[in-house]
Structure formats: structure tokens, C-alpha cells
Amino acid sequence: MGRLITLDEFIIKRQKDFPFASGELTALLRDIGLAAKMINREVNRAGLVNIIGLADKQNSSGDKVQKLDLYANDRMIEFLGNSGECCGIASEELEDFIPLPDVESKSAKYVVVFDPLDGSSNIDVNVSVGTIFGIYRRVSDVGTPVTKEDFFQPGKNLVAAGYVTYGTSTILVYTTGKGVNGFTLDPSVGEFFLSHRDIRIPEKAKYYSVNQGYYLKYDFGMRRYIDHCNELNLKLRYIGTMVSDIHRILFQGGVFIYPNMSDYPMGKLRLLYECNPMAMIVEQCGGKATTCQGKRILDAKVTDLHQRTSIAIGSPRMVEDVKSFSEKYKAMTVLE
Ligand code: P6P
């Protein structure tokens, strides 16, 4: 077994890969790692401290907010504020973006978007949940107040993206555009250790991932694609937490789709802090991420912090198949 490499050591070593690295991104990634450790601790003892249960709040999506969502949101904001490298954040749990105060009069160059606890409805039944984050360089002048343009950037402008999956083990996966690496938390020492080096998504797959319960709500092309998966005897795996479903696909291959449907004409999942960061990661692993009509997710124009999109993400050939079925049947109306 090779020498153990911690997340901090790896980030610092890889700093030279980053064109304009002067340690700021390194500090940001380390702050996120710290937040992940704190969130992990609460996720793992959620059942014990009666943290489960609906807070009396709703988030910007109108979803009932679990107390753990609020805790995770607060930790991300707290730790992102530590280094002084982040001038503003946007979160699924916040209606609007918020500026972060300067630390030691540093003029932060980055903004961070995140879903602090993806899949939170699974908390009460002990199913894995996750945190998703994306990092942009600000486009407004350093030293001036953060603006919405800093957040309304296409996903292809992301300088880093990552997620944490709180499952049978807690794994942090991130990319700065030079490949994807995974780090597993050893809770006994409180360190993330390199465990999945240079992740590459399998071309072939035995799995597809979709909420089959909504089959009749999808348009005809998506129904026929699902039929096609059944004809190929592909196995259906759907956890209901995007991070977990895509994490599995990075290692076993497959495709995750969340199509447009009557309840969500634009799709359900959020472009800014769910689909864009996951798309950057999957593309860096050799995969693809498009809308269910085949448009590249990372090219999508961001016009609202909470805008939704459909998504087909995973092994490249399977993502291409989704597009071909969408095109082949697009003329057909959805049977009511
Ligand atoms: P449905 C979790 O609420 C989430 O945002 C994603 O993590 C997940 O993939 C999706 O929604 C599940 O949605 O409608 O299948 O329950």
C-alpha cells in the first residue's frame, strides 16, 4: 500500500497545476474540506441529537427544509468565510446570493455556489446525502461588492467543482480542471486521504438511473429511451440523491437522467449549484453532461440563481443515446 496522502497535501502539491494559483484556491478547497468534516459529524449523528425533523422553514424551491440542511448551509458559509478568499456565495438554501466579509482586508477573487445538503429528504431514512460545490473567479472588480454577474456565469467558467458523499464512508471528490480525485475521510484521525486517484468513467455500463415512477410524465422520447434500457436488460439504480447516483456512475458507468416533465417543464434539478458542478466533474472523468435534448450543460446560460434544467449525465455513449431518442421522437406529442 502506497504512502497515505492527505487532502491538504494533495491540494498544495497540485497548486502548481493551477494557472493563476497563489494559494487562494488551495485555501478555499481546504475550507470546504473542513466544512465537510463538520457536516459529516452531524449527518452521522442526526438520529441521535433529534436534529431530524422539519425546520419550520421552506427553501427557495419551496421544499420543506430539514434542520440538517440549515446546519450544513451555516457551516459552508462559516468556513468559506475563514480564508478571506471567497467574496460571496449562492446556496440552494438562500433566496439570493450573499457577500462574505473581507478577512484581514484580503480582496477575495472567488465566489462559491453550493447545495449544502443534496437529497436531504433521505436523511430520516438513513440513505446517503451529499454536498455539491462549484468555484468561479469573480468577474467584477476585486475590492468592489460582489454582483449577480459573478454568479451568472456558464458552468464552463468554473475553476473548480466537487462534491462530498456522506454514505457508507464519506468521500470528497473534486477537480480543478486537471482530472478528478477522491478522498475518503478517516474519522478516527479526522483526515481525508487520497483513495480514488484520477477517476475515469467506464464507457460501458449495466445501469441506468431515473425516477421510473414518473415514466408517464416524461415526453415520448424519454419513455422510449427508458424502454430501450429495459430492452437491453440494463439494471435500474435510483437512490434519489443526485450526488450518490452520479458517484456510483463514476465507478460503474451508466447514465443518470432527470427529464423535463409536466411538474417540472424545465426539469427539476438546479443548474447553478447541482448540474454545473456535477457536469464539470463528469466531463473531467471522460463522461458527458447534457440536457435531455442534448445541449451541453456547461454551455447553458445562467439567468437565475435557482433556474432548473433537465439532465442526462454519465458514460458518453449513453448520454448520446438519450439525445438520439429525444431527437427521433420530438415530433410526437406526450400522451396525456
Ligand atoms: P425525485 C434531491 O431532492 C434531488 O434534488 C436530487 O438530489 C435527486 O436526484 C432528485 O432531487 C430526486 O428527485 O423527484 O426523483 O424525488
Side-chain angles (χ1 to χ4, degrees):
M1 185 174 100
R3 181 173 72 80
L4 287 175
I5 298 174
T6 66
L7 172 64
D8 287 1
E9 182 183 353
F10 187 88
I11 291 171
I12 290 168
K13 266 192 177 157
R14 288 294 183 95
Q15 183 175 291
K16 66 182 182 322
D17 289 347
F18 202 63
F20 21 76
S22 52
E24 302 117 339
L25 186 73
T26 301
L28 259 187
L29 287 168
R30 294 175 67 180
D31 289 341
I32 292 171
L34 281 173
K37 290 178 192 173
M38 300 295 283
I39 296 167
N40 173 68
R41 186 189 61 186
E42 292 308 307
V43 166
N44 285 344
R45 62 183 197 164
L48 300 175
V49 293
N50 191 28
I51 202 165
I52 281 180
L54 297 183
D56 57 355
K57 287 188 70 177
Q58 289 196 332
N59 67 17
S60 54
S61 321
D63 299 331
K64 283 191 170 54
V65 178
Q66 299 271 359
K67 290 177 188 171
L68 215 45
D69 278 354
L70 289 174
Y71 176 87
N73 194 55
D74 292 349
R75 293 298 72 71
M76 286 293 284
I77 294 171
E78 175 191 348
F79 284 93
L80 285 168
N82 276 353
S83 66
E85 306 303 350
C86 175
C87 59
I89 61 103
S91 164
E92 178 178 38
E93 299 306 336
L94 299 176
E95 195 62 40
D96 202 352
F97 66 86
I98 57 170
L100 293 187
D102 276 355
V103 174
E104 299 145 23
S105 72
K106 278 186 181 174
S107 293
K109 299 189 182 71
Y110 299 96
V111 296
V112 181
V113 298
F114 57 84
D115 181 354
L117 210 63
D118 174 54
S120 51
S121 56
N122 281 324
I123 297 167
D124 293 5
V125 291
N126 201 34
V127 170
S128 58
V129 292
T131 297
I132 309 172
F133 65 90
I135 303 174
Y136 289 100
R137 281 182 75 81
R138 67 183 301 178
V139 294
S140 56
D141 294 339
V142 171
T144 63
V146 69
T147 66
K148 71 176 182 176
E149 284 70 27
D150 292 317
F151 297 94
F152 286 15
Q153 300 184 56
K156 61 190 169 192
N157 289 8
L158 282 165
V159 294
Y163 64 81
V164 184
T165 173
Y166 309 99
T168 45
S169 52
T170 294
I171 301 176
L172 186 150
V173 173
Y174 85 93
T175 181
T176 57
K178 302 270 185 185
V180 181
N181 293 279
F183 301 80
T184 299
L185 181 65
D186 178 342
S188 67
V189 294
E191 281 289 0
F192 280 105
F193 289 105
L194 180 61
S195 51
H196 302 80
R197 188 188 286 270
D198 195 18
I199 301 169
R200 302 299 295 167
I201 195 166
E203 279 285 332
K204 299 287 291 172
K206 302 187 292 291
Y207 301 100
Y208 71 106
S209 189
V210 65
N211 186 330
Q212 193 101 6
Y214 294 150
Y215 178 86
L216 294 176
K217 293 175 181 249
Y218 301 142
D219 67 30
F220 211 78
M222 290 305 97
R223 294 186 205 178
R224 282 296 299 122
Y225 177 71
I226 293 170
D227 297 342
H228 170 66
C229 292
N230 298 159
E231 286 149 13
L232 294 176
N233 294 316
L234 296 184
K235 295 176 185 170
L236 173 60
R237 289 287 185 278
Y238 191 74
I239 298 169
T241 297
M242 180 190 199
V243 170
S244 310
D245 280 315
I246 294 176
H247 182 73
R248 179 195 59 251
I249 286 170
L250 291 190
F251 299 98
Q252 296 182 342
V255 68
F256 171 87
I257 58 174
Y258 206 111
N260 316 70
M261 60 190 214
S262 38
D263 312 32
Y264 298 111
M266 299 306 290
K268 175 185 182 185
L269 300 178
R270 306 300 181 166
L271 175 64
L272 187 71
Y273 41 72
E274 290 178 330
C275 297
N276 269 336
M278 298 309 286
M280 180 181 184
I281 292 164
V282 169
E283 285 199 0
Q284 282 289 312
C285 292
K288 280 198 166 188
T290 68
T291 64
C292 288
Q293 291 72 37
K295 290 191 171 49
R296 185 180 181 232
I297 290 286
L298 293 179
D299 289 338
K301 191 168 167 42
V302 177
T303 55
D304 182 278
L305 292 179
H306 302 288
Q307 79 189 67
R308 300 175 189 269
T309 180
S310 66
I311 188 166
I313 183 170
S315 299
R317 284 285 309 280
M318 298 182 80
V319 173
E320 287 157 11
D321 285 350
V322 174
K323 177 180 179 182
S324 60
F325 275 84
S326 174
E327 287 176 342
K328 184 175 177 184
Y329 292 94
K330 73 179 161 193
M332 300 184 75
T333 54
V334 174
L335 309 175
E336 289 309 321

